[in-house]
Amino acid sequence: MSVLTIGISHRTAPVAMLERVAVSGETLVKLLYDVQQDACVAEAMVVSTCNRVEIYAAVDRFHAAVTSISRLLSVHTGVTVDELRPHLYVHYEDRAVEHLFSLVCGLDSMVVGEGQILGQVRRALKLAQKQGTVGATLNELMQQALRVGKRAHTDTGIDTASASLVTAGLALAGDLAGRRALVVGAGSMSSLAAVTLARAGVTDIVVANRTLERGVRLAEAVGGRAVEFAAVPEELAAAELVITCTGGGQHVITPDMLKSVMSGRQAFLLDLALPHDIDSAVREVPGVTLVDLETIQESGIGSRDGDTIESVRTLVAEELAAFLSAERAAKVTPTVVALRSKAAGVVEAELGRLLMRMPHLDGKAKDEVAQTVQRVVDKLLHEPTVRVKQLATSPGGDHYAEALRELFDLDPKMPEAVREVEL
């Protein structure tokens, strides 16, 4: 099986298109299940965030899988394939692995170096595991990717500035200390927002969430207070900073809510959700500044360059080379096992015939003969099997395994049977 990635992100599509293809909840689960059930696909996982949707799949046919997965993405988002096609990117085999490693390190994020993507990929993997749509191929790849991402964030300075969409958005708000804030939502992004506000000196933080208990836990963690979700219009009257990230699919803040409470004052609104939480028409309300994902993308405030980025790219290249080398070596192992199994069968058969012709041999002599024959076979096979494992780590190394199968007339089904037993 080969790894295929099909995705759409802030790098290839405007936020308006990303808003249309955003999947979550039951829609995401149904997409995940339908992709895995496709005849071309053995395993599937979906990474869906506020600025990307990526489908990772273990496939046996490239073109057929691309067609099928693109169609399923269209079906579950309501966006036609013709509309999707100009914005989709496709990565296959080595390129798919490279893209994933770069992704978890934060190199492909709207805010370069942000660490949230690591948790988002981890949650996507857990969901796929829970739904039973991933197996050995994607499990192994994703676990390695998470290790690479963690290493990037601990061994390099990629996140020394605590880069995130939250910090990028709030950088446009000016001085935060002493201002009153309303955080709408209590998920991971909202939690990061609340913590960021508290660290910046915001002493009055209100959390509004559909599930009050979760809102209470978040508010207590930052020394704020929690309110019912229905209290959002009332809380807007005093809020100077408003951060939303519910992604519920409906606007939670509208122009009408603000018109009656904005007389003679200023408010900064940060919408980090897709679909958007805040109606963009609030920009027409005097005193309101709205920053959303489009604003952050256009500002370029999250972009980075220099030695830190290069160090992460070097890390990705090293980890990619090591992963691909180990993967190629693993592919030849079943063939080596099959060869040794066939050799063992030949030894056993020949010893059986020998002992039938020489029944007078005692036990000690029989053991000596058997050990001698086995040593001869082991020595003859040692060099070619070691060498083929070494050669297999290079690009195109699987051809050496094919040559081994051909030279020793191995049953083509046997290496695959060995692989299945190992899994």
Side-chain angles (χ1 to χ4, degrees):
M1 287 290 167
S2 299
V3 177
L4 170 69
T5 303
I6 297 180
I8 179 172
S9 78
H10 64 98
R11 292 187 180 276
T12 62
V15 174
M17 174 59 73
L18 295 178
E19 189 168 18
R20 293 178 64 192
V21 300
V23 289
S24 60
E26 287 301 313
T27 301
L28 191 155
V29 172
K30 289 176 181 177
L31 172 62
L32 181 63
Y33 178 79
D34 285 351
V35 171
Q36 194 271 334
Q37 289 295 303
D38 188 84
C40 304
V41 178
E43 305 173 33
M45 188 182 108
V46 178
V47 176
S48 180
T49 74
C50 60
N51 53 33
R52 76 180 62 250
V53 175
E54 293 186 348
I55 299 171
Y56 290 84
V59 305
D60 59 4
R61 287 177 289 166
F62 172 76
H63 294 291
V66 170
T67 300
S68 295
I69 293 173
S70 300
R71 178 184 60 80
L72 288 169
L73 183 59
S74 169
V75 168
H76 287 281
T77 62
V79 182
T80 68
V81 174
D82 286 342
E83 290 179 284
L84 283 172
R85 191 175 290 115
H87 306 292
L88 291 178
Y89 48 86
V90 177
H91 302 301
Y92 189 56
E93 295 186 329
D94 295 7
R95 290 291 300 276
V97 178
E98 181 180 19
H99 171 76
L100 175 62
F101 285 6
S102 297
L103 176 71
V104 295
C105 290
L107 292 177
D108 198 56
S109 298
M110 186 179 292
V111 179
V112 177
E114 57 92 7
Q116 286 70 49
I117 187 62
L118 202 55
Q120 291 162 339
V121 171
R122 185 177 291 109
R123 288 191 290 274
L125 176 58
K126 287 183 178 179
L127 176 63
Q129 290 170 335
K130 180 180 178 181
Q131 298 298 322
T133 63
V134 293
T137 299
L138 290 186
N139 261 315
E140 180 182 349
L141 173 60
M142 293 299 161
Q143 294 294 350
Q144 181 61 29
L146 292 172
R147 286 191 287 270
V148 172
K150 185 176 181 180
R151 183 187 166 199
H153 288 284
T154 56
D155 293 0
T156 74
I158 189 69
D159 58 356
T160 52
S162 299
S164 69
L165 287 172
V166 172
T167 55
L170 289 177
L172 303 173
D175 187 16
L176 304 179
R179 298 167 78 176
R180 186 179 188 278
L182 170 64
V183 177
V184 183
S188 59
M189 191 70 78
S190 297
S191 299
L192 177 62
V195 170
T196 302
L197 290 169
R199 289 175 177 172
V202 177
T203 55
D204 190 357
I205 300 175
V206 178
V207 178
N209 190 55
R210 287 189 173 89
T211 304
L212 182 60
E213 290 77 12
R214 291 191 65 183
V216 169
R217 287 197 295 271
L218 176 56
E220 289 177 346
V222 295
R225 64 183 176 89
V227 297
E228 298 280 357
F229 197 78
V232 168
E234 178 183 342
E235 294 296 332
L236 287 172
E240 300 167 272
L241 302 168
V242 180
I243 303 178
T244 68
C245 190
T246 71
Q250 295 181 336
H251 291 146
V252 299
I253 297 177
T254 64
D256 288 341
M257 291 182 186
L258 292 168
K259 286 176 181 177
S260 60
V261 300
M262 285 303 300
S263 178
R265 68 187 193 90
Q266 303 290 315
F268 177 89
L269 278 59
L270 175 58
D271 183 358
L272 298 174
L274 271 186
H276 284 311
D277 282 339
I278 302 176
D279 188 338
S280 61
V282 301
R283 288 190 172 95
E284 304 302 319
V285 179
V288 171
T289 299
L290 172 62
V291 171
D292 52 21
L293 295 176
E294 289 100 330
T295 313
I296 296 173
Q297 188 175 34
E298 291 167 2
S299 71
I301 197 168
S303 61
R304 294 190 188 181
D305 207 348
D307 294 341
T308 298
I309 298 299
E310 284 306 312
S311 68
V312 178
R313 287 176 178 152
T314 299
L315 183 151
V316 168
E318 292 172 351
E319 291 284 359
L320 175 65
F323 179 83
L324 296 177
S325 178
E327 186 181 52
R328 293 182 186 116
K331 285 182 178 180
V332 79
T333 298
T335 298
V336 172
V337 173
L339 173 59
R340 290 194 173 276
S341 178
K342 181 174 183 177
V346 171
V347 168
E348 183 179 359
E350 291 302 321
L351 284 174
R353 280 191 282 270
L354 175 64
L355 295 178
M356 287 181 65
R357 293 196 300 270
M358 305 178 69
H360 59 281
L361 290 177
D362 59 26
K364 184 177 181 180
K366 290 178 182 178
D367 289 343
E368 186 63 36
V369 170
Q371 291 174 11
T372 300
V373 173
Q374 188 62 58
R375 280 197 298 271
V376 170
V377 171
D378 287 344
K379 287 182 178 180
L380 287 173
L381 291 181
H382 176 73
E383 190 61 34
T385 54
V386 169
R387 188 66 178 142
V388 78
K389 286 182 179 180
Q390 294 172 339
L391 293 170
T393 62
S394 61
D398 54 336
H399 295 309
Y400 294 103
E402 293 175 10
L404 205 61
R405 290 194 293 269
E406 186 69 26
L407 288 170
F408 288 91
D409 193 26
L410 298 177
D411 182 350
K413 296 180 181 179
M414 192 169 182
E416 188 59 36
V418 172
R419 185 179 290 109
E420 289 176 0
V421 170
E422 291 177 339
L423 298 179

